[in-house]
């Protein structure tokens, strides 16, 4: 098919963002502006956080896998969150150093570090939100499912701890493959008699963050003004951006839809980040506080399709995922994508369930 001039222009603009910035980069002004904005936001956060200094108000949050590539920046971002009063950092290595580092930040949350299985009980007792980025990450050429053999066991052990020591906590599962690790945690909680589907949430926010960014680039607008629902799961074709439901409403050519869908589905091979996990944790805390209208996409126990778990928009409240929204009208491309996503998801979910039931 011949590429339209407009589609080529948009794709060239998106692709240019893949290049590392150079000193000659014409967008240097943008970078400076973004940096300035970020520093202003950090300073605002610090000021609002100082008001809760001493850890008197706010929630108790644990990060399991806190010394890793996602865990460390996530710990930093959670230490800056004014809704956090106590922050427990647990890992099997390096937590004393990471904890010392994070604890010197002059924000309100009290930080404590925990090292190794014998300290898991103390790390978890009393926690209201537990975030799990523990486990191995992908190397080039690997799929998320290639991580199953190692991460399934890690998530099982940590979920057993949660069932024993903080069974009422909201749990955010980041460790991949999310499509299987969430069902694993659910099975562990079922066996322990503590399962509440509303409180177990797989983190797919990164797919939404990427979708917002790439769509904003294509449209030439600020990503903060864009909202793209991403449903299904968190791996390859199970990541299904609903480009027909972008807010603000917009339209794309078939070629753009294919390009953007592929880029969103494969964004994890470009870069991974803790920012999205922090956004999702913050949304869970605002829900716990009772704020109204907190809606994020998440991989949860669901009746939106015939599958037992599915990612879609959920409303977060005091008891976790309090409402799960239907997918809304899908176009032909999305309906075909949904069928592919469901096929792969069914296998990944079953793999997680069988790992515990075997
Ligand atoms: N859902 C999502 O959007 C994302 C998921 N991920 C996933 O998060 C996981 C972590 O990624 P990275 O931080 O980059 O890996 P990493 O290797 O840098 O860090 C993992 C950390 O987990 C710790 N760990 C291992 N076994 C543990 C156990 N039994 N208990 C507690 N901690 C344990 C390790 O010591 C290490 O500090 C990976 O599975 C990755 O695929 C990463 C980015 C985004
Ligand atoms: O892709 C990975 O390996 C990590 C991840 O889940 C993401 O970045 O979306």
């Amino acid at each position: 098919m011949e590429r339209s001039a407009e589609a080529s222009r948009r794709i060239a603009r998106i692709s240019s963002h893949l290049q590392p910035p150079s000193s000659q980069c014409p967008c240097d002004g943008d970078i400076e502006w973004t940096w300035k904005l970020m520093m202003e936001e950090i300073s605002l956060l610090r000021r609002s956080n100082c008001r809760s200094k001493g850890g008197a108000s706010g929630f108790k949050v644990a990060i399991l896998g806190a010394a890793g590539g996602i865990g460390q920046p996530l710990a930093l971002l959670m230490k800056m969150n004014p809704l956090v009063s106590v922050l427990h950092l647990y890992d099997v290595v390096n937590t004393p150093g990471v904890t010392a580092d994070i604890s010197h930040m002059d924000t309100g949350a009290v930080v404590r570090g925990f090292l190794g299985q014998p300290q898991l009980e103390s790390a978890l007792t009393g926690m209201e939100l537990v975030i799990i980025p523990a486990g191995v990450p992908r190397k080039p050429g690997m799929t998320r499912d290639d991580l199953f053999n190692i991460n399934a066991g890690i998530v099982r052990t940590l979920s057993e701890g949660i069932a024993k020591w903080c069974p009422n906590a909201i749990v955010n599962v980041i460790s991949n493959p999310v499509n299987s690790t969430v069902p694993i945690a659910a099975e562990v909680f079922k066996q322990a008699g503590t399962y509440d589907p509303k409180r177990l949430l797989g983190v797919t926010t990164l797919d939404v963050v990427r979708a917002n960014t790439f769509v904003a680039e294509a449209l030439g607008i600020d990503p903060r003004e864009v909202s793209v629902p991403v449903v299904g799961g968190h791996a390859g074709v199970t990541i299904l951006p609903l480009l027909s439901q972008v807010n603000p409403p917009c339209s794309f050519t078939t070629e753009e839809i294919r390009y953007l869908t592929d880029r969103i589905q494969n964004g994890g091979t470009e870069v991974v980040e803790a920012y999205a996990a922090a956004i999702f944790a913050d949304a869970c805390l605002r829900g716990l506080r009772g704020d109204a209208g907190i809606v994020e996409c998440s991989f949860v126990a669901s009746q939106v399709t015939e599958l037992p778990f599915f990612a879609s928009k959920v409303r977060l409240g005091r008891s976790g995922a309090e409402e799960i929204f239907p997918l809304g009208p899908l176009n032909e491309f999305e309906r075909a994508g949904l069928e592919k996503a469901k096929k792969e998801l069914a296998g990944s979910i079953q793999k997680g369930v069988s790992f515990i039931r075997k």
Side-chain angles (χ1 to χ4, degrees):
M1 195 206 310
E2 207 178 296
R3 208 179 248 195
S4 75
E6 170 63 4
S8 305
R9 196 174 56 75
R10 287 188 186 181
I11 290 171
R13 187 163 57 210
I14 303 169
S15 307
S16 72
H17 285 262
L18 287 174
Q19 309 303 320
S22 75
S23 54
Q24 271 84 46
C25 177
C27 55
D28 271 357
D30 284 356
I31 293 173
E32 265 171 41
W33 178 80
T34 310
W35 177 254
K36 198 165 158 260
L37 213 70
M38 204 173 89
M39 296 319 285
E40 275 168 16
E41 298 224 344
I42 287 177
S43 146
L44 259 174
L45 262 173
R46 283 183 68 238
R47 282 206 296 276
S48 60
N49 207 312
C50 285
R51 278 183 231 127
S52 65
K53 190 126 193 142
S57 62
F59 295 98
K60 297 184 175 111
V61 178
I63 300 177
L64 313 181
I70 295 296
Q72 286 197 42
L74 180 59
L76 179 140
L77 291 167
M78 296 315 290
K79 172 76 167 108
M80 289 170 62
N81 189 318
L83 293 177
V84 181
S85 58
V86 173
L87 183 60
H88 282 190
L89 304 181
Y90 172 85
D91 203 302
V92 290
V93 293
N94 296 339
T95 31
V98 172
T99 305
D101 193 5
I102 299 288
S103 69
H104 285 203
M105 290 170 67
D106 58 348
T107 57
V110 172
V111 185
R112 301 188 192 107
F114 303 87
L115 184 65
Q117 182 75 19
Q119 295 190 3
L120 185 59
E121 175 175 358
S122 311
L124 288 175
T125 302
M127 292 299 108
E128 294 163 295
L129 173 67
V130 179
I131 313 173
I132 314 183
V136 288
R138 285 198 283 166
K139 292 197 172 65
M142 290 170 92
T143 66
R144 290 179 181 85
D145 186 59
D146 292 333
L147 307 173
F148 185 95
N149 287 346
I150 299 180
N151 290 356
I154 293 174
V155 170
R156 173 175 54 194
T157 307
L158 297 175
S159 302
E160 285 165 356
I162 292 167
K164 266 195 223 152
W165 296 310
C166 54
N168 296 320
I170 298 219
V171 180
N172 289 178
V173 180
I174 297 175
S175 315
N176 274 314
V178 167
N179 294 352
S180 303
T181 50
V182 170
I184 286 173
E187 288 301 310
V188 171
F189 297 156
K190 279 182 203 166
Q191 286 186 356
T194 64
Y195 183 48
D196 176 356
K198 293 202 290 297
R199 294 185 178 273
L200 176 60
L201 301 113
V203 178
T204 61
T205 321
L206 191 41
D207 304 319
V208 174
V209 164
R210 286 183 178 127
N212 292 346
T213 304
F214 303 156
V215 165
E217 281 170 10
L219 298 174
I221 61 177
D222 186 329
R224 288 168 299 180
E225 286 163 16
V226 178
S227 169
V228 185
V230 184
V231 303
H234 182 65
V237 297
T238 74
I239 298 169
L240 185 61
L242 301 182
L243 296 171
S244 67
Q245 295 182 26
V246 171
N247 198 1
C250 57
S251 64
F252 297 104
T253 64
T254 308
E255 196 182 355
E256 285 172 334
I257 290 171
R258 286 190 200 290
Y259 175 84
L260 284 166
T261 302
D262 181 72
R263 178 116 193 258
I264 294 161
Q265 290 180 333
N266 295 304
T269 56
E270 282 177 31
V271 69
V272 301
E273 51 170 49
Y275 164 76
I279 289 184
F280 188 68
D282 179 64
C284 288
L285 293 175
R286 284 184 290 130
L288 272 178
R289 184 172 64 177
D291 291 11
I294 310 293
V295 175
E296 294 286 340
C297 288
S298 177
F299 185 65
V300 290
S302 166
Q303 291 173 352
V304 159
T305 69
E306 63 276 24
L307 297 174
F309 294 90
F310 200 80
S312 65
K313 281 188 187 173
V314 304
R315 185 175 53 74
L316 298 163
R318 288 210 166 89
S319 55
E322 294 185 342
E323 186 178 356
I324 300 176
F325 294 101
L327 301 184
L330 306 187
N331 62 25
E332 204 185 319
F333 180 82
E334 290 161 352
R335 281 197 298 275
L338 178 62
E339 290 316 307
K340 271 193 230 157
K342 284 197 295 192
K343 203 163 164 228
E344 182 175 319
L345 252 182
S348 305
I349 294 169
Q350 191 48 46
K351 191 169 172 183
V353 171
S354 308
F355 178 74
I356 300 296
R357 290 196 191 162
K358 70 181 175 238

